[in-house]
Amino acid sequence: MQDVQACQNAFSLPNGWQVQAAGEQRWLLKGTGERPLQVTLKCITELGNTLEHPAVTAELGPLEPKRMSVQFASWGEAVDSGYPIRALQRRIVPGTEVQEIAELPRADRSNPNAPHGLLMLRWDEEDASHIQQRKAFIATLTQSLEAPGTAKNTTGTAP
């Protein structure tokens, strides 16, 4: 397994995945196979409005309410995951592309300038390979995530 240490967070990637530096405080996490899923990790200090944050707009494009639907999604369940995360999904309608935005926990919650990670990905909801890679990424991330100062649930029961 490949480990990622960035934005004051540490987590593992599924077997075969690669990490590539892609600019200042930005990394590409690449899946496997013919159509590898690609996740962008960007360190940010202030999130504000997740849907219209400049980092999200730069990576995924602007939110287009007339063409997109927006909903929350859970990454990992408290029962089987060390660290469940809430993500926002933007779906382009009509079409099969789903854009997801998830925020990693802030390491130092008392410091509003402490960096934390923003994960952004695009996947095709009709591509079995993308679905499998996304599930593997989320499972590995939520089970291995370690944020300084937070207690990780390793037993599968409520902390």
PDB file of all heavy atoms in Angstrom, residues 9-37:
ATOM      1  N   ASN A   9      -2.420  15.420   7.358  1.00  0.00           N
ATOM      2  CA  ASN A   9      -3.173  14.178   7.430  1.00  0.00           C
ATOM      3  C   ASN A   9      -2.286  13.065   6.897  1.00  0.00           C
ATOM      4  O   ASN A   9      -1.374  13.314   6.109  1.00  0.00           O
ATOM      5  CB  ASN A   9      -4.447  14.233   6.563  1.00  0.00           C
ATOM      6  CG  ASN A   9      -5.502  15.150   7.124  1.00  0.00           C
ATOM      7  OD1 ASN A   9      -5.760  16.208   6.582  1.00  0.00           O
ATOM      8  ND2 ASN A   9      -6.125  14.754   8.212  1.00  0.00           N
ATOM      9  N   ALA A  10      -2.576  11.844   7.306  1.00  0.00           N
ATOM     10  CA  ALA A  10      -1.875  10.679   6.774  1.00  0.00           C
ATOM     11  C   ALA A  10      -2.921   9.605   6.490  1.00  0.00           C
ATOM     12  O   ALA A  10      -3.834   9.395   7.296  1.00  0.00           O
ATOM     13  CB  ALA A  10      -0.843  10.173   7.766  1.00  0.00           C
ATOM     14  N   PHE A  11      -2.803   8.956   5.329  1.00  0.00           N
ATOM     15  CA  PHE A  11      -3.710   7.869   4.982  1.00  0.00           C
ATOM     16  C   PHE A  11      -3.045   6.985   3.944  1.00  0.00           C
ATOM     17  O   PHE A  11      -2.031   7.346   3.355  1.00  0.00           O
ATOM     18  CB  PHE A  11      -5.067   8.393   4.496  1.00  0.00           C
ATOM     19  CG  PHE A  11      -5.014   9.304   3.302  1.00  0.00           C
ATOM     20  CD1 PHE A  11      -5.121   8.798   2.016  1.00  0.00           C
ATOM     21  CD2 PHE A  11      -4.875  10.673   3.465  1.00  0.00           C
ATOM     22  CE1 PHE A  11      -5.086   9.654   0.910  1.00  0.00           C
ATOM     23  CE2 PHE A  11      -4.834  11.531   2.374  1.00  0.00           C
ATOM     24  CZ  PHE A  11      -4.942  11.013   1.088  1.00  0.00           C
ATOM     25  N   SER A  12      -3.637   5.831   3.728  1.00  0.00           N
ATOM     26  CA  SER A  12      -3.111   4.887   2.746  1.00  0.00           C
ATOM     27  C   SER A  12      -3.965   4.903   1.494  1.00  0.00           C
ATOM     28  O   SER A  12      -5.135   5.304   1.523  1.00  0.00           O
ATOM     29  CB  SER A  12      -3.122   3.468   3.325  1.00  0.00           C
ATOM     30  OG  SER A  12      -2.289   3.403   4.455  1.00  0.00           O
ATOM     31  N   LEU A  13      -3.374   4.443   0.400  1.00  0.00           N
ATOM     32  CA  LEU A  13      -4.088   4.280  -0.862  1.00  0.00           C
ATOM     33  C   LEU A  13      -4.206   2.788  -1.156  1.00  0.00           C
ATOM     34  O   LEU A  13      -3.385   1.995  -0.694  1.00  0.00           O
ATOM     35  CB  LEU A  13      -3.316   4.955  -1.999  1.00  0.00           C
ATOM     36  CG  LEU A  13      -3.222   6.475  -1.951  1.00  0.00           C
ATOM     37  CD1 LEU A  13      -2.329   6.989  -3.070  1.00  0.00           C
ATOM     38  CD2 LEU A  13      -4.605   7.098  -2.052  1.00  0.00           C
ATOM     39  N   PRO A  14      -5.183   2.396  -1.968  1.00  0.00           N
ATOM     40  CA  PRO A  14      -5.307   0.985  -2.338  1.00  0.00           C
ATOM     41  C   PRO A  14      -4.059   0.505  -3.096  1.00  0.00           C
ATOM     42  O   PRO A  14      -3.325   1.310  -3.671  1.00  0.00           O
ATOM     43  CB  PRO A  14      -6.537   0.956  -3.256  1.00  0.00           C
ATOM     44  CG  PRO A  14      -7.285   2.208  -2.953  1.00  0.00           C
ATOM     45  CD  PRO A  14      -6.259   3.210  -2.520  1.00  0.00           C
ATOM     46  N   ASN A  15      -3.849  -0.793  -3.105  1.00  0.00           N
ATOM     47  CA  ASN A  15      -2.728  -1.380  -3.837  1.00  0.00           C
ATOM     48  C   ASN A  15      -2.741  -0.925  -5.290  1.00  0.00           C
ATOM     49  O   ASN A  15      -3.793  -0.906  -5.936  1.00  0.00           O
ATOM     50  CB  ASN A  15      -2.790  -2.912  -3.790  1.00  0.00           C
ATOM     51  CG  ASN A  15      -2.450  -3.435  -2.409  1.00  0.00           C
ATOM     52  OD1 ASN A  15      -1.733  -2.789  -1.662  1.00  0.00           O
ATOM     53  ND2 ASN A  15      -2.984  -4.594  -2.066  1.00  0.00           N
ATOM     54  N   GLY A  16      -1.568  -0.552  -5.787  1.00  0.00           N
ATOM     55  CA  GLY A  16      -1.440  -0.148  -7.186  1.00  0.00           C
ATOM     56  C   GLY A  16      -1.621   1.335  -7.434  1.00  0.00           C
ATOM     57  O   GLY A  16      -1.259   1.839  -8.487  1.00  0.00           O
ATOM     58  N   TRP A  17      -2.197   2.051  -6.491  1.00  0.00           N
ATOM     59  CA  TRP A  17      -2.394   3.483  -6.661  1.00  0.00           C
ATOM     60  C   TRP A  17      -1.068   4.215  -6.518  1.00  0.00           C
ATOM     61  O   TRP A  17      -0.167   3.749  -5.840  1.00  0.00           O
ATOM     62  CB  TRP A  17      -3.394   4.013  -5.626  1.00  0.00           C
ATOM     63  CG  TRP A  17      -4.826   3.761  -5.979  1.00  0.00           C
ATOM     64  CD1 TRP A  17      -5.415   2.543  -6.186  1.00  0.00           C
ATOM     65  CD2 TRP A  17      -5.852   4.721  -6.143  1.00  0.00           C
ATOM     66  NE1 TRP A  17      -6.741   2.709  -6.467  1.00  0.00           N
ATOM     67  CE2 TRP A  17      -7.039   4.038  -6.446  1.00  0.00           C
ATOM     68  CE3 TRP A  17      -5.883   6.111  -6.057  1.00  0.00           C
ATOM     69  CZ2 TRP A  17      -8.244   4.684  -6.669  1.00  0.00           C
ATOM     70  CZ3 TRP A  17      -7.085   6.762  -6.274  1.00  0.00           C
ATOM     71  CH2 TRP A  17      -8.255   6.049  -6.583  1.00  0.00           C
ATOM     72  N   GLN A  18      -0.975   5.383  -7.164  1.00  0.00           N
ATOM     73  CA  GLN A  18       0.249   6.173  -7.123  1.00  0.00           C
ATOM     74  C   GLN A  18      -0.053   7.604  -6.688  1.00  0.00           C
ATOM     75  O   GLN A  18      -1.139   8.112  -6.932  1.00  0.00           O
ATOM     76  CB  GLN A  18       0.912   6.196  -8.500  1.00  0.00           C
ATOM     77  CG  GLN A  18       1.349   4.839  -8.978  1.00  0.00           C
ATOM     78  CD  GLN A  18       1.930   4.920 -10.386  1.00  0.00           C
ATOM     79  OE1 GLN A  18       2.007   5.981 -10.979  1.00  0.00           O
ATOM     80  NE2 GLN A  18       2.334   3.775 -10.902  1.00  0.00           N
ATOM     81  N   VAL A  19       0.955   8.230  -6.081  1.00  0.00           N
ATOM     82  CA  VAL A  19       0.865   9.637  -5.677  1.00  0.00           C
ATOM     83  C   VAL A  19       1.846  10.417  -6.525  1.00  0.00           C
ATOM     84  O   VAL A  19       2.983   9.999  -6.704  1.00  0.00           O
ATOM     85  CB  VAL A  19       1.285   9.821  -4.204  1.00  0.00           C
ATOM     86  CG1 VAL A  19       1.127  11.273  -3.790  1.00  0.00           C
ATOM     87  CG2 VAL A  19       0.498   8.919  -3.300  1.00  0.00           C
ATOM     88  N   GLN A  20       1.396  11.549  -7.042  1.00  0.00           N
ATOM     89  CA  GLN A  20       2.232  12.387  -7.899  1.00  0.00           C
ATOM     90  C   GLN A  20       2.088  13.835  -7.454  1.00  0.00           C
ATOM     91  O   GLN A  20       0.966  14.334  -7.335  1.00  0.00           O
ATOM     92  CB  GLN A  20       1.685  12.238  -9.319  1.00  0.00           C
ATOM     93  CG  GLN A  20       2.669  12.345 -10.394  1.00  0.00           C
ATOM     94  CD  GLN A  20       1.961  12.061 -11.744  1.00  0.00           C
ATOM     95  OE1 GLN A  20       0.789  11.735 -11.842  1.00  0.00           O
ATOM     96  NE2 GLN A  20       2.721  12.199 -12.783  1.00  0.00           N
ATOM     97  N   ALA A  21       3.199  14.517  -7.197  1.00  0.00           N
ATOM     98  CA  ALA A  21       3.126  15.942  -6.873  1.00  0.00           C
ATOM     99  C   ALA A  21       2.624  16.682  -8.108  1.00  0.00           C
ATOM    100  O   ALA A  21       2.999  16.362  -9.231  1.00  0.00           O
ATOM    101  CB  ALA A  21       4.499  16.465  -6.465  1.00  0.00           C
ATOM    102  N   ALA A  22       1.746  17.658  -7.890  1.00  0.00           N
ATOM    103  CA  ALA A  22       1.152  18.373  -9.026  1.00  0.00           C
ATOM    104  C   ALA A  22       1.076  19.872  -8.742  1.00  0.00           C
ATOM    105  O   ALA A  22       0.051  20.506  -8.968  1.00  0.00           O
ATOM    106  CB  ALA A  22      -0.234  17.810  -9.316  1.00  0.00           C
ATOM    107  N   GLY A  23       2.158  20.420  -8.208  1.00  0.00           N
ATOM    108  CA  GLY A  23       2.157  21.850  -7.922  1.00  0.00           C
ATOM    109  C   GLY A  23       2.272  22.082  -6.435  1.00  0.00           C
ATOM    110  O   GLY A  23       2.462  21.157  -5.641  1.00  0.00           O
ATOM    111  N   GLU A  24       2.135  23.329  -6.058  1.00  0.00           N
ATOM    112  CA  GLU A  24       2.279  23.697  -4.659  1.00  0.00           C
ATOM    113  C   GLU A  24       1.079  23.217  -3.851  1.00  0.00           C
ATOM    114  O   GLU A  24      -0.071  23.557  -4.166  1.00  0.00           O
ATOM    115  CB  GLU A  24       2.405  25.220  -4.534  1.00  0.00           C
ATOM    116  CG  GLU A  24       2.780  25.651  -3.140  1.00  0.00           C
ATOM    117  CD  GLU A  24       2.994  27.155  -3.049  1.00  0.00           C
ATOM    118  OE1 GLU A  24       3.372  27.767  -4.058  1.00  0.00           O
ATOM    119  OE2 GLU A  24       2.760  27.696  -1.967  1.00  0.00           O
ATOM    120  N   GLN A  25       1.354  22.407  -2.834  1.00  0.00           N
ATOM    121  CA  GLN A  25       0.308  21.888  -1.950  1.00  0.00           C
ATOM    122  C   GLN A  25      -0.805  21.171  -2.721  1.00  0.00           C
ATOM    123  O   GLN A  25      -1.988  21.274  -2.377  1.00  0.00           O
ATOM    124  CB  GLN A  25      -0.272  23.027  -1.096  1.00  0.00           C
ATOM    125  CG  GLN A  25       0.736  23.700  -0.197  1.00  0.00           C
ATOM    126  CD  GLN A  25       1.217  22.767   0.912  1.00  0.00           C
ATOM    127  OE1 GLN A  25       0.440  22.316   1.725  1.00  0.00           O
ATOM    128  NE2 GLN A  25       2.503  22.456   0.919  1.00  0.00           N
ATOM    129  N   ARG A  26      -0.423  20.432  -3.781  1.00  0.00           N
ATOM    130  CA  ARG A  26      -1.411  19.742  -4.613  1.00  0.00           C
ATOM    131  C   ARG A  26      -0.809  18.421  -5.093  1.00  0.00           C
ATOM    132  O   ARG A  26       0.337  18.366  -5.505  1.00  0.00           O
ATOM    133  CB  ARG A  26      -1.762  20.616  -5.816  1.00  0.00           C
ATOM    134  CG  ARG A  26      -2.865  20.090  -6.687  1.00  0.00           C
ATOM    135  CD  ARG A  26      -3.222  21.161  -7.737  1.00  0.00           C
ATOM    136  NE  ARG A  26      -4.248  20.683  -8.631  1.00  0.00           N
ATOM    137  CZ  ARG A  26      -3.993  20.044  -9.778  1.00  0.00           C
ATOM    138  NH1 ARG A  26      -2.750  19.839 -10.175  1.00  0.00           N
ATOM    139  NH2 ARG A  26      -4.978  19.629 -10.537  1.00  0.00           N
ATOM    140  N   TRP A  27      -1.594  17.346  -5.015  1.00  0.00           N
ATOM    141  CA  TRP A  27      -1.147  16.025  -5.439  1.00  0.00           C
ATOM    142  C   TRP A  27      -2.232  15.335  -6.251  1.00  0.00           C
ATOM    143  O   TRP A  27      -3.418  15.577  -6.048  1.00  0.00           O
ATOM    144  CB  TRP A  27      -0.838  15.140  -4.225  1.00  0.00           C
ATOM    145  CG  TRP A  27       0.299  15.640  -3.409  1.00  0.00           C
ATOM    146  CD1 TRP A  27       1.601  15.259  -3.490  1.00  0.00           C
ATOM    147  CD2 TRP A  27       0.255  16.636  -2.391  1.00  0.00           C
ATOM    148  NE1 TRP A  27       2.361  15.959  -2.599  1.00  0.00           N
ATOM    149  CE2 TRP A  27       1.561  16.806  -1.907  1.00  0.00           C
ATOM    150  CE3 TRP A  27      -0.762  17.402  -1.844  1.00  0.00           C
ATOM    151  CZ2 TRP A  27       1.874  17.711  -0.896  1.00  0.00           C
ATOM    152  CZ3 TRP A  27      -0.455  18.300  -0.837  1.00  0.00           C
ATOM    153  CH2 TRP A  27       0.849  18.450  -0.375  1.00  0.00           C
ATOM    154  N   LEU A  28      -1.818  14.472  -7.173  1.00  0.00           N
ATOM    155  CA  LEU A  28      -2.735  13.606  -7.908  1.00  0.00           C
ATOM    156  C   LEU A  28      -2.587  12.205  -7.343  1.00  0.00           C
ATOM    157  O   LEU A  28      -1.479  11.688  -7.228  1.00  0.00           O
ATOM    158  CB  LEU A  28      -2.408  13.597  -9.402  1.00  0.00           C
ATOM    159  CG  LEU A  28      -2.568  14.922 -10.136  1.00  0.00           C
ATOM    160  CD1 LEU A  28      -2.204  14.743 -11.611  1.00  0.00           C
ATOM    161  CD2 LEU A  28      -3.989  15.447 -10.006  1.00  0.00           C
ATOM    162  N   LEU A  29      -3.702  11.599  -7.004  1.00  0.00           N
ATOM    163  CA  LEU A  29      -3.736  10.229  -6.521  1.00  0.00           C
ATOM    164  C   LEU A  29      -4.360   9.427  -7.661  1.00  0.00           C
ATOM    165  O   LEU A  29      -5.507   9.673  -8.021  1.00  0.00           O
ATOM    166  CB  LEU A  29      -4.580  10.131  -5.249  1.00  0.00           C
ATOM    167  CG  LEU A  29      -4.331  11.218  -4.189  1.00  0.00           C
ATOM    168  CD1 LEU A  29      -5.291  11.066  -3.027  1.00  0.00           C
ATOM    169  CD2 LEU A  29      -2.890  11.190  -3.715  1.00  0.00           C
ATOM    170  N   LYS A  30      -3.579   8.515  -8.257  1.00  0.00           N
ATOM    171  CA  LYS A  30      -4.036   7.838  -9.465  1.00  0.00           C
ATOM    172  C   LYS A  30      -4.345   6.375  -9.211  1.00  0.00           C
ATOM    173  O   LYS A  30      -3.530   5.645  -8.650  1.00  0.00           O
ATOM    174  CB  LYS A  30      -2.975   7.936 -10.555  1.00  0.00           C
ATOM    175  CG  LYS A  30      -2.835   9.324 -11.119  1.00  0.00           C
ATOM    176  CD  LYS A  30      -1.886   9.315 -12.287  1.00  0.00           C
ATOM    177  CE  LYS A  30      -2.001  10.616 -13.056  1.00  0.00           C
ATOM    178  NZ  LYS A  30      -1.256  10.580 -14.283  1.00  0.00           N
ATOM    179  N   GLY A  31      -5.522   5.966  -9.686  1.00  0.00           N
ATOM    180  CA  GLY A  31      -5.964   4.587  -9.576  1.00  0.00           C
ATOM    181  C   GLY A  31      -5.266   3.687 -10.577  1.00  0.00           C
ATOM    182  O   GLY A  31      -4.228   4.034 -11.144  1.00  0.00           O
ATOM    183  N   THR A  32      -5.852   2.541 -10.816  1.00  0.00           N
ATOM    184  CA  THR A  32      -5.241   1.516 -11.659  1.00  0.00           C
ATOM    185  C   THR A  32      -6.134   1.194 -12.859  1.00  0.00           C
ATOM    186  O   THR A  32      -7.261   1.650 -12.936  1.00  0.00           O
ATOM    187  CB  THR A  32      -5.015   0.232 -10.845  1.00  0.00           C
ATOM    188  OG1 THR A  32      -6.281  -0.219 -10.353  1.00  0.00           O
ATOM    189  CG2 THR A  32      -4.091   0.476  -9.672  1.00  0.00           C
ATOM    190  N   GLY A  33      -5.599   0.391 -13.756  1.00  0.00           N
ATOM    191  CA  GLY A  33      -6.396  -0.102 -14.872  1.00  0.00           C
ATOM    192  C   GLY A  33      -6.345   0.776 -16.099  1.00  0.00           C
ATOM    193  O   GLY A  33      -5.593   1.749 -16.175  1.00  0.00           O
ATOM    194  N   GLU A  34      -7.187   0.393 -17.065  1.00  0.00           N
ATOM    195  CA  GLU A  34      -7.240   1.097 -18.351  1.00  0.00           C
ATOM    196  C   GLU A  34      -7.730   2.535 -18.212  1.00  0.00           C
ATOM    197  O   GLU A  34      -7.278   3.431 -18.899  1.00  0.00           O
ATOM    198  CB  GLU A  34      -8.193   0.331 -19.286  1.00  0.00           C
ATOM    199  CG  GLU A  34      -7.603   0.042 -20.645  1.00  0.00           C
ATOM    200  CD  GLU A  34      -8.551  -0.816 -21.452  1.00  0.00           C
ATOM    201  OE1 GLU A  34      -9.491  -0.240 -22.042  1.00  0.00           O
ATOM    202  OE2 GLU A  34      -8.348  -2.040 -21.483  1.00  0.00           O
ATOM    203  N   ARG A  35      -8.714   2.729 -17.340  1.00  0.00           N
ATOM    204  CA  ARG A  35      -9.254   4.076 -17.081  1.00  0.00           C
ATOM    205  C   ARG A  35      -9.061   4.400 -15.606  1.00  0.00           C
ATOM    206  O   ARG A  35      -9.992   4.296 -14.810  1.00  0.00           O
ATOM    207  CB  ARG A  35     -10.736   4.132 -17.444  1.00  0.00           C
ATOM    208  CG  ARG A  35     -10.981   4.042 -18.942  1.00  0.00           C
ATOM    209  CD  ARG A  35     -12.400   4.404 -19.312  1.00  0.00           C
ATOM    210  NE  ARG A  35     -12.696   5.789 -18.953  1.00  0.00           N
ATOM    211  CZ  ARG A  35     -13.923   6.237 -18.698  1.00  0.00           C
ATOM    212  NH1 ARG A  35     -14.939   5.441 -18.750  1.00  0.00           N
ATOM    213  NH2 ARG A  35     -14.115   7.504 -18.398  1.00  0.00           N
ATOM    214  N   PRO A  36      -7.827   4.775 -15.228  1.00  0.00           N
ATOM    215  CA  PRO A  36      -7.578   5.016 -13.805  1.00  0.00           C
ATOM    216  C   PRO A  36      -8.368   6.206 -13.270  1.00  0.00           C
ATOM    217  O   PRO A  36      -8.465   7.241 -13.926  1.00  0.00           O
ATOM    218  CB  PRO A  36      -6.080   5.272 -13.728  1.00  0.00           C
ATOM    219  CG  PRO A  36      -5.643   5.589 -15.114  1.00  0.00           C
ATOM    220  CD  PRO A  36      -6.643   5.005 -16.052  1.00  0.00           C
ATOM    221  N   LEU A  37      -8.938   6.002 -12.116  1.00  0.00           N
ATOM    222  CA  LEU A  37      -9.622   7.083 -11.421  1.00  0.00           C
ATOM    223  C   LEU A  37      -8.552   8.040 -10.922  1.00  0.00           C
ATOM    224  O   LEU A  37      -7.482   7.610 -10.505  1.00  0.00           O
ATOM    225  CB  LEU A  37     -10.418   6.512 -10.246  1.00  0.00           C
ATOM    226  CG  LEU A  37     -11.358   7.467  -9.535  1.00  0.00           C
ATOM    227  CD1 LEU A  37     -12.467   7.931 -10.474  1.00  0.00           C
ATOM    228  CD2 LEU A  37     -11.968   6.787  -8.325  1.00  0.00           C
TER     229      LEU A  37
END
